Amino acid sequence: MEELNIKSFSKINIGLNIISKRVDGFHNLQTIFFPLSLHDSITIRKSENFSFSSSDKSLSEDKNNLIIRAHDLIEQTSGKKINCHIHLQKNIPIGAGLGGGSSNAAGILKGLNELFSLKIDNSKIKVLALQLGSDVPLFLEKLPAYAESRGEVLLPVKISFNGYLLIVNPGIHISTKWAFSKITPKLPEVSLKELIKGDEIDFNVLAKYGTNDFEQVIFEEYPQIREIKMRMLNFDSKLSMMTGTGSTVFGFFDDKESAYQAEQFFKCKNYFTYLQRVS
């Protein structure tokens, strides 16, 4: 095999609670990761040397992006020179709380391991993923999951919802480092983990108790993002929330017409939108 094509999927956080500051500088958190069908496309092709290109110019010029770091980490781990050309077709908005960069990194770790028959076992791949970022391990599998610790301790969960999910991003880039600097860790009134019964979370219970600690901070600084959430609710979203540290807001809708009307409203504002069926 000379070439491998990879779909690099995005995610949303349904709830995000920052529990405490760790001695290693990271934070203990609780969140629910929910995978989206929105994805980047990555092509890895064997070549005589290593090179990287992207449909997004800013990523092509960034010599320290997560794809290059993942490639270099695989080289170091395998002790082999990994000569290939990697091309990224970027569809997931950057800096939007959708995990695009982390997903790309996970795709490269798995893809290079497969294409070059490196035989690095799954447990080691997970270790490498965590070295690249707290939520990179999530993207090694495409499953809804409860996450805690840095976000790398994952428990697959089922969330039953039959309807539509709308993603809206206004094009605002929010610094994750800045957002975390504004947060005071605290225990939530209701722990997301307490909502898990067996291996499932009732959607209505999640909609009632799920919260994102970053909303207050981000909404004060960027009222435009608060307005998106309010509009989602006005269009009869059953659950609307900012994902991660923003700036994307999602809304779950029971019926296609409500979701479509909301999407058209945000499209008129030239916002990025993505609508998908959920079942």
mmCIF file of all heavy atoms in Angstrom, residues 85-129:
data_model
loop_
_atom_site.group_PDB
_atom_site.id
_atom_site.type_symbol
_atom_site.label_atom_id
_atom_site.label_comp_id
_atom_site.label_asym_id
_atom_site.label_seq_id
_atom_site.Cartn_x
_atom_site.Cartn_y
_atom_site.Cartn_z
ATOM 1 N N HIS A 85 4.303 12.174 2.140
ATOM 2 C CA HIS A 85 3.662 13.477 1.997
ATOM 3 C C HIS A 85 2.286 13.384 2.634
ATOM 4 O O HIS A 85 1.502 12.480 2.331
ATOM 5 C CB HIS A 85 3.515 13.898 0.535
ATOM 6 C CG HIS A 85 2.750 15.190 0.391
ATOM 7 N ND1 HIS A 85 3.287 16.395 0.753
ATOM 8 C CD2 HIS A 85 1.484 15.442 -0.017
ATOM 9 C CE1 HIS A 85 2.385 17.354 0.559
ATOM 10 N NE2 HIS A 85 1.281 16.802 0.088
ATOM 11 N N ILE A 86 1.996 14.306 3.550
ATOM 12 C CA ILE A 86 0.702 14.354 4.215
ATOM 13 C C ILE A 86 -0.036 15.596 3.720
ATOM 14 O O ILE A 86 0.503 16.708 3.784
ATOM 15 C CB ILE A 86 0.861 14.420 5.749
ATOM 16 C CG1 ILE A 86 1.579 13.177 6.276
ATOM 17 C CG2 ILE A 86 -0.508 14.563 6.420
ATOM 18 C CD1 ILE A 86 1.910 13.241 7.761
ATOM 19 N N HIS A 87 -1.252 15.390 3.220
ATOM 20 C CA HIS A 87 -2.074 16.540 2.821
ATOM 21 C C HIS A 87 -3.354 16.551 3.642
ATOM 22 O O HIS A 87 -4.040 15.534 3.773
ATOM 23 C CB HIS A 87 -2.446 16.502 1.346
ATOM 24 C CG HIS A 87 -3.294 17.688 0.952
ATOM 25 N ND1 HIS A 87 -2.779 18.958 0.840
ATOM 26 C CD2 HIS A 87 -4.638 17.782 0.710
ATOM 27 C CE1 HIS A 87 -3.755 19.798 0.518
ATOM 28 N NE2 HIS A 87 -4.889 19.112 0.437
ATOM 29 N N LEU A 88 -3.652 17.711 4.210
ATOM 30 C CA LEU A 88 -4.843 17.895 5.024
ATOM 31 C C LEU A 88 -5.845 18.787 4.305
ATOM 32 O O LEU A 88 -5.546 19.934 3.971
ATOM 33 C CB LEU A 88 -4.458 18.543 6.360
ATOM 34 C CG LEU A 88 -5.619 19.023 7.253
ATOM 35 C CD1 LEU A 88 -6.440 17.830 7.751
ATOM 36 C CD2 LEU A 88 -5.091 19.840 8.424
ATOM 37 N N GLN A 89 -7.022 18.231 4.046
ATOM 38 C CA GLN A 89 -8.138 19.030 3.541
ATOM 39 C C GLN A 89 -8.945 19.463 4.746
ATOM 40 O O GLN A 89 -9.613 18.664 5.391
ATOM 41 C CB GLN A 89 -9.011 18.213 2.575
ATOM 42 C CG GLN A 89 -10.228 18.970 2.050
ATOM 43 C CD GLN A 89 -9.870 20.216 1.246
ATOM 44 O OE1 GLN A 89 -8.953 20.185 0.419
ATOM 45 N NE2 GLN A 89 -10.574 21.309 1.498
ATOM 46 N N LYS A 90 -8.843 20.754 5.096
ATOM 47 C CA LYS A 90 -9.406 21.245 6.353
ATOM 48 C C LYS A 90 -10.855 21.672 6.172
ATOM 49 O O LYS A 90 -11.150 22.599 5.410
ATOM 50 C CB LYS A 90 -8.568 22.426 6.863
ATOM 51 C CG LYS A 90 -8.829 22.782 8.314
ATOM 52 C CD LYS A 90 -8.372 21.663 9.232
ATOM 53 C CE LYS A 90 -8.653 21.978 10.689
ATOM 54 N NZ LYS A 90 -8.479 20.804 11.550
ATOM 55 N N ASN A 91 -11.760 20.986 6.865
ATOM 56 C CA ASN A 91 -13.182 21.314 6.836
ATOM 57 C C ASN A 91 -13.696 21.760 8.210
ATOM 58 O O ASN A 91 -14.691 22.481 8.291
ATOM 59 C CB ASN A 91 -13.991 20.102 6.372
ATOM 60 C CG ASN A 91 -13.539 19.592 5.014
ATOM 61 O OD1 ASN A 91 -13.357 20.373 4.082
ATOM 62 N ND2 ASN A 91 -13.331 18.294 4.899
ATOM 63 N N ILE A 92 -13.027 21.303 9.269
ATOM 64 C CA ILE A 92 -13.412 21.654 10.633
ATOM 65 C C ILE A 92 -12.817 23.024 10.962
ATOM 66 O O ILE A 92 -11.611 23.228 10.803
ATOM 67 C CB ILE A 92 -12.877 20.617 11.641
ATOM 68 C CG1 ILE A 92 -13.353 19.209 11.280
ATOM 69 C CG2 ILE A 92 -13.296 20.969 13.060
ATOM 70 C CD1 ILE A 92 -12.642 18.096 12.043
ATOM 71 N N PRO A 93 -13.632 23.983 11.403
ATOM 72 C CA PRO A 93 -13.088 25.297 11.755
ATOM 73 C C PRO A 93 -11.986 25.191 12.810
ATOM 74 O O PRO A 93 -12.070 24.376 13.727
ATOM 75 C CB PRO A 93 -14.306 26.052 12.307
ATOM 76 C CG PRO A 93 -15.483 25.365 11.724
ATOM 77 C CD PRO A 93 -15.097 23.920 11.590
ATOM 78 N N ILE A 94 -10.958 26.031 12.679
ATOM 79 C CA ILE A 94 -9.828 26.028 13.607
ATOM 80 C C ILE A 94 -10.161 26.867 14.835
ATOM 81 O O ILE A 94 -10.783 27.920 14.739
ATOM 82 C CB ILE A 94 -8.565 26.574 12.913
ATOM 83 C CG1 ILE A 94 -8.174 25.663 11.747
ATOM 84 C CG2 ILE A 94 -7.403 26.695 13.894
ATOM 85 C CD1 ILE A 94 -7.055 26.207 10.897
ATOM 86 N N GLY A 95 -9.729 26.391 16.009
ATOM 87 C CA GLY A 95 -9.934 27.140 17.237
ATOM 88 C C GLY A 95 -11.386 27.294 17.611
ATOM 89 O O GLY A 95 -11.787 28.299 18.196
ATOM 90 N N ALA A 96 -12.186 26.273 17.298
ATOM 91 C CA ALA A 96 -13.632 26.387 17.481
ATOM 92 C C ALA A 96 -14.179 25.465 18.560
ATOM 93 O O ALA A 96 -15.385 25.361 18.741
ATOM 94 C CB ALA A 96 -14.335 26.100 16.150
ATOM 95 N N GLY A 97 -13.302 24.739 19.268
ATOM 96 C CA GLY A 97 -13.757 23.814 20.297
ATOM 97 C C GLY A 97 -14.282 22.504 19.756
ATOM 98 O O GLY A 97 -14.961 21.757 20.462
ATOM 99 N N LEU A 98 -13.960 22.198 18.505
ATOM 100 C CA LEU A 98 -14.451 20.978 17.858
ATOM 101 C C LEU A 98 -13.394 19.875 17.784
ATOM 102 O O LEU A 98 -13.662 18.788 17.267
ATOM 103 C CB LEU A 98 -14.969 21.302 16.455
ATOM 104 C CG LEU A 98 -16.184 22.230 16.404
ATOM 105 C CD1 LEU A 98 -16.502 22.624 14.958
ATOM 106 C CD2 LEU A 98 -17.404 21.584 17.045
ATOM 107 N N GLY A 99 -12.201 20.162 18.285
ATOM 108 C CA GLY A 99 -11.173 19.129 18.379
ATOM 109 C C GLY A 99 -10.502 18.760 17.072
ATOM 110 O O GLY A 99 -9.913 17.678 16.967
ATOM 111 N N GLY A 100 -10.555 19.634 16.079
ATOM 112 C CA GLY A 100 -10.000 19.293 14.774
ATOM 113 C C GLY A 100 -8.520 18.948 14.808
ATOM 114 O O GLY A 100 -8.087 17.945 14.234
ATOM 115 N N GLY A 101 -7.727 19.757 15.494
ATOM 116 C CA GLY A 101 -6.286 19.501 15.565
ATOM 117 C C GLY A 101 -5.970 18.205 16.272
ATOM 118 O O GLY A 101 -5.117 17.430 15.832
ATOM 119 N N SER A 102 -6.650 17.943 17.371
ATOM 120 C CA SER A 102 -6.443 16.698 18.116
ATOM 121 C C SER A 102 -6.855 15.491 17.290
ATOM 122 O O SER A 102 -6.189 14.449 17.297
ATOM 123 C CB SER A 102 -7.242 16.727 19.423
ATOM 124 O OG SER A 102 -6.772 17.735 20.279
ATOM 125 N N SER A 103 -7.952 15.633 16.567
ATOM 126 C CA SER A 103 -8.412 14.554 15.698
ATOM 127 C C SER A 103 -7.391 14.269 14.596
ATOM 128 O O SER A 103 -7.108 13.112 14.275
ATOM 129 C CB SER A 103 -9.760 14.922 15.091
ATOM 130 O OG SER A 103 -10.194 13.928 14.185
ATOM 131 N N ASN A 104 -6.841 15.327 14.015
ATOM 132 C CA ASN A 104 -5.798 15.166 12.989
ATOM 133 C C ASN A 104 -4.604 14.402 13.534
ATOM 134 O O ASN A 104 -4.066 13.502 12.890
ATOM 135 C CB ASN A 104 -5.332 16.526 12.477
ATOM 136 C CG ASN A 104 -6.397 17.324 11.756
ATOM 137 O OD1 ASN A 104 -6.260 18.536 11.586
ATOM 138 N ND2 ASN A 104 -7.488 16.691 11.334
ATOM 139 N N ALA A 105 -4.187 14.762 14.755
ATOM 140 C CA ALA A 105 -3.028 14.108 15.371
ATOM 141 C C ALA A 105 -3.288 12.621 15.586
ATOM 142 O O ALA A 105 -2.431 11.771 15.290
ATOM 143 C CB ALA A 105 -2.697 14.782 16.701
ATOM 144 N N ALA A 106 -4.478 12.289 16.088
ATOM 145 C CA ALA A 106 -4.827 10.884 16.301
ATOM 146 C C ALA A 106 -4.840 10.123 14.982
ATOM 147 O O ALA A 106 -4.368 8.979 14.894
ATOM 148 C CB ALA A 106 -6.193 10.776 16.988
ATOM 149 N N GLY A 107 -5.369 10.755 13.934
ATOM 150 C CA GLY A 107 -5.409 10.120 12.617
ATOM 151 C C GLY A 107 -4.018 9.826 12.082
ATOM 152 O O GLY A 107 -3.783 8.774 11.470
ATOM 153 N N ILE A 108 -3.092 10.740 12.319
ATOM 154 C CA ILE A 108 -1.715 10.542 11.853
ATOM 155 C C ILE A 108 -1.031 9.414 12.616
ATOM 156 O O ILE A 108 -0.342 8.574 12.026
ATOM 157 C CB ILE A 108 -0.904 11.849 11.978
ATOM 158 C CG1 ILE A 108 -1.442 12.907 11.008
ATOM 159 C CG2 ILE A 108 0.582 11.603 11.738
ATOM 160 C CD1 ILE A 108 -1.412 12.501 9.555
ATOM 161 N N LEU A 109 -1.216 9.364 13.929
ATOM 162 C CA LEU A 109 -0.620 8.281 14.719
ATOM 163 C C LEU A 109 -1.079 6.913 14.212
ATOM 164 O O LEU A 109 -0.262 6.018 13.972
ATOM 165 C CB LEU A 109 -1.001 8.431 16.195
ATOM 166 C CG LEU A 109 -0.426 9.618 16.963
ATOM 167 C CD1 LEU A 109 -0.959 9.633 18.388
ATOM 168 C CD2 LEU A 109 1.101 9.597 16.975
ATOM 169 N N LYS A 110 -2.386 6.764 14.023
ATOM 170 C CA LYS A 110 -2.927 5.486 13.552
ATOM 171 C C LYS A 110 -2.564 5.232 12.095
ATOM 172 O O LYS A 110 -2.219 4.107 11.710
ATOM 173 C CB LYS A 110 -4.441 5.475 13.717
ATOM 174 C CG LYS A 110 -4.924 5.462 15.151
ATOM 175 C CD LYS A 110 -6.441 5.536 15.244
ATOM 176 C CE LYS A 110 -7.112 4.337 14.644
ATOM 177 N NZ LYS A 110 -8.598 4.403 14.773
ATOM 178 N N GLY A 111 -2.633 6.286 11.282
ATOM 179 C CA GLY A 111 -2.393 6.132 9.854
ATOM 180 C C GLY A 111 -0.965 5.749 9.520
ATOM 181 O O GLY A 111 -0.726 4.850 8.699
ATOM 182 N N LEU A 112 0.007 6.413 10.142
ATOM 183 C CA LEU A 112 1.412 6.088 9.884
ATOM 184 C C LEU A 112 1.741 4.690 10.397
ATOM 185 O O LEU A 112 2.499 3.949 9.757
ATOM 186 C CB LEU A 112 2.329 7.124 10.545
ATOM 187 C CG LEU A 112 2.289 8.535 9.959
ATOM 188 C CD1 LEU A 112 3.199 9.467 10.746
ATOM 189 C CD2 LEU A 112 2.670 8.540 8.484
ATOM 190 N N ASN A 113 1.171 4.334 11.532
ATOM 191 C CA ASN A 113 1.390 2.999 12.084
ATOM 192 C C ASN A 113 0.900 1.924 11.116
ATOM 193 O O ASN A 113 1.553 0.891 10.917
ATOM 194 C CB ASN A 113 0.674 2.874 13.426
ATOM 195 C CG ASN A 113 1.074 1.645 14.211
ATOM 196 O OD1 ASN A 113 2.216 1.199 14.166
ATOM 197 N ND2 ASN A 113 0.135 1.076 14.935
ATOM 198 N N GLU A 114 -0.245 2.190 10.473
ATOM 199 C CA GLU A 114 -0.814 1.227 9.528
ATOM 200 C C GLU A 114 -0.067 1.227 8.199
ATOM 201 O O GLU A 114 0.328 0.162 7.695
ATOM 202 C CB GLU A 114 -2.289 1.555 9.279
ATOM 203 C CG GLU A 114 -2.960 0.643 8.267
ATOM 204 C CD GLU A 114 -4.414 1.027 7.989
ATOM 205 O OE1 GLU A 114 -4.968 1.856 8.728
ATOM 206 O OE2 GLU A 114 -4.972 0.492 7.009
ATOM 207 N N LEU A 115 0.152 2.419 7.620
ATOM 208 C CA LEU A 115 0.737 2.504 6.286
ATOM 209 C C LEU A 115 2.156 1.951 6.242
ATOM 210 O O LEU A 115 2.554 1.314 5.265
ATOM 211 C CB LEU A 115 0.727 3.959 5.808
ATOM 212 C CG LEU A 115 1.230 4.225 4.379
ATOM 213 C CD1 LEU A 115 0.378 3.484 3.350
ATOM 214 C CD2 LEU A 115 1.225 5.725 4.087
ATOM 215 N N PHE A 116 2.910 2.184 7.309
ATOM 216 C CA PHE A 116 4.306 1.748 7.330
ATOM 217 C C PHE A 116 4.512 0.467 8.132
ATOM 218 O O PHE A 116 5.648 0.079 8.405
ATOM 219 C CB PHE A 116 5.185 2.870 7.876
ATOM 220 C CG PHE A 116 5.347 4.021 6.918
ATOM 221 C CD1 PHE A 116 4.420 5.056 6.899
ATOM 222 C CD2 PHE A 116 6.390 4.054 6.002
ATOM 223 C CE1 PHE A 116 4.544 6.113 6.001
ATOM 224 C CE2 PHE A 116 6.527 5.096 5.101
ATOM 225 C CZ PHE A 116 5.596 6.130 5.101
ATOM 226 N N SER A 117 3.406 -0.196 8.501
ATOM 227 C CA SER A 117 3.457 -1.496 9.202
ATOM 228 C C SER A 117 4.427 -1.458 10.381
ATOM 229 O O SER A 117 5.298 -2.330 10.535
ATOM 230 C CB SER A 117 3.869 -2.616 8.227
ATOM 231 O OG SER A 117 2.979 -2.681 7.130
ATOM 232 N N LEU A 118 4.275 -0.450 11.242
ATOM 233 C CA LEU A 118 5.212 -0.244 12.350
ATOM 234 C C LEU A 118 4.923 -1.158 13.533
ATOM 235 O O LEU A 118 5.770 -1.354 14.394
ATOM 236 C CB LEU A 118 5.169 1.224 12.790
ATOM 237 C CG LEU A 118 5.524 2.242 11.703
ATOM 238 C CD1 LEU A 118 5.344 3.664 12.220
ATOM 239 C CD2 LEU A 118 6.951 2.032 11.210
ATOM 240 N N LYS A 119 3.708 -1.659 13.612
ATOM 241 C CA LYS A 119 3.303 -2.610 14.659
ATOM 242 C C LYS A 119 3.448 -2.037 16.069
ATOM 243 O O LYS A 119 3.839 -2.750 17.001
ATOM 244 C CB LYS A 119 4.076 -3.930 14.520
ATOM 245 C CG LYS A 119 3.822 -4.638 13.195
ATOM 246 C CD LYS A 119 4.579 -5.946 13.088
ATOM 247 C CE LYS A 119 4.288 -6.632 11.750
ATOM 248 N NZ LYS A 119 5.033 -7.906 11.592
ATOM 249 N N ILE A 120 3.177 -0.730 16.201
ATOM 250 C CA ILE A 120 3.127 -0.128 17.530
ATOM 251 C C ILE A 120 1.774 -0.492 18.128
ATOM 252 O O ILE A 120 0.736 -0.243 17.514
ATOM 253 C CB ILE A 120 3.281 1.402 17.454
ATOM 254 C CG1 ILE A 120 4.590 1.772 16.746
ATOM 255 C CG2 ILE A 120 3.221 2.027 18.843
ATOM 256 C CD1 ILE A 120 4.741 3.257 16.453
ATOM 257 N N ASP A 121 1.769 -1.102 19.327
ATOM 258 C CA ASP A 121 0.489 -1.595 19.862
ATOM 259 C C ASP A 121 -0.396 -0.447 20.334
ATOM 260 O O ASP A 121 0.049 0.686 20.537
ATOM 261 C CB ASP A 121 0.706 -2.628 20.971
ATOM 262 C CG ASP A 121 1.415 -2.058 22.198
ATOM 263 O OD1 ASP A 121 1.097 -0.926 22.615
ATOM 264 O OD2 ASP A 121 2.282 -2.755 22.752
ATOM 265 N N ASN A 122 -1.681 -0.760 20.505
ATOM 266 C CA ASN A 122 -2.686 0.258 20.813
ATOM 267 C C ASN A 122 -2.402 0.995 22.111
ATOM 268 O O ASN A 122 -2.658 2.197 22.219
ATOM 269 C CB ASN A 122 -4.085 -0.374 20.867
ATOM 270 C CG ASN A 122 -4.581 -0.796 19.502
ATOM 271 O OD1 ASN A 122 -4.133 -0.282 18.480
ATOM 272 N ND2 ASN A 122 -5.508 -1.743 19.470
ATOM 273 N N SER A 123 -1.892 0.268 23.112
ATOM 274 C CA SER A 123 -1.614 0.915 24.399
ATOM 275 C C SER A 123 -0.525 1.969 24.249
ATOM 276 O O SER A 123 -0.596 3.051 24.855
ATOM 277 C CB SER A 123 -1.210 -0.129 25.450
ATOM 278 O OG SER A 123 -0.036 -0.821 25.048
ATOM 279 N N LYS A 124 0.471 1.702 23.422
ATOM 280 C CA LYS A 124 1.542 2.670 23.186
ATOM 281 C C LYS A 124 1.020 3.853 22.378
ATOM 282 O O LYS A 124 1.396 5.013 22.635
ATOM 283 C CB LYS A 124 2.707 2.000 22.442
ATOM 284 C CG LYS A 124 3.905 2.930 22.196
ATOM 285 C CD LYS A 124 4.490 3.454 23.489
ATOM 286 C CE LYS A 124 5.711 4.311 23.218
ATOM 287 N NZ LYS A 124 6.287 4.884 24.469
ATOM 288 N N ILE A 125 0.159 3.581 21.400
ATOM 289 C CA ILE A 125 -0.443 4.672 20.619
ATOM 290 C C ILE A 125 -1.211 5.615 21.537
ATOM 291 O O ILE A 125 -1.163 6.847 21.378
ATOM 292 C CB ILE A 125 -1.368 4.115 19.516
ATOM 293 C CG1 ILE A 125 -0.547 3.399 18.417
ATOM 294 C CG2 ILE A 125 -2.214 5.228 18.904
ATOM 295 C CD1 ILE A 125 0.305 4.322 17.568
ATOM 296 N N LYS A 126 -1.912 5.069 22.526
ATOM 297 C CA LYS A 126 -2.648 5.901 23.478
ATOM 298 C C LYS A 126 -1.715 6.777 24.295
ATOM 299 O O LYS A 126 -2.017 7.945 24.574
ATOM 300 C CB LYS A 126 -3.496 5.015 24.397
ATOM 301 C CG LYS A 126 -4.682 4.365 23.712
ATOM 302 C CD LYS A 126 -5.478 3.501 24.679
ATOM 303 C CE LYS A 126 -6.648 2.824 23.974
ATOM 304 N NZ LYS A 126 -7.402 1.938 24.899
ATOM 305 N N VAL A 127 -0.571 6.230 24.676
ATOM 306 C CA VAL A 127 0.436 7.008 25.421
ATOM 307 C C VAL A 127 0.956 8.157 24.560
ATOM 308 O O VAL A 127 1.090 9.295 25.027
ATOM 309 C CB VAL A 127 1.598 6.099 25.877
ATOM 310 C CG1 VAL A 127 2.745 6.936 26.452
ATOM 311 C CG2 VAL A 127 1.115 5.094 26.913
ATOM 312 N N LEU A 128 1.247 7.868 23.299
ATOM 313 C CA LEU A 128 1.732 8.902 22.380
ATOM 314 C C LEU A 128 0.666 9.976 22.180
ATOM 315 O O LEU A 128 0.973 11.171 22.128
ATOM 316 C CB LEU A 128 2.105 8.286 21.033
ATOM 317 C CG LEU A 128 3.222 7.237 21.037
ATOM 318 C CD1 LEU A 128 3.475 6.728 19.619
ATOM 319 C CD2 LEU A 128 4.507 7.806 21.623
ATOM 320 N N ALA A 129 -0.595 9.542 22.064
ATOM 321 C CA ALA A 129 -1.697 10.483 21.860
ATOM 322 C C ALA A 129 -1.773 11.475 23.014
ATOM 323 O O ALA A 129 -1.937 12.684 22.803
ATOM 324 C CB ALA A 129 -3.011 9.723 21.707
#
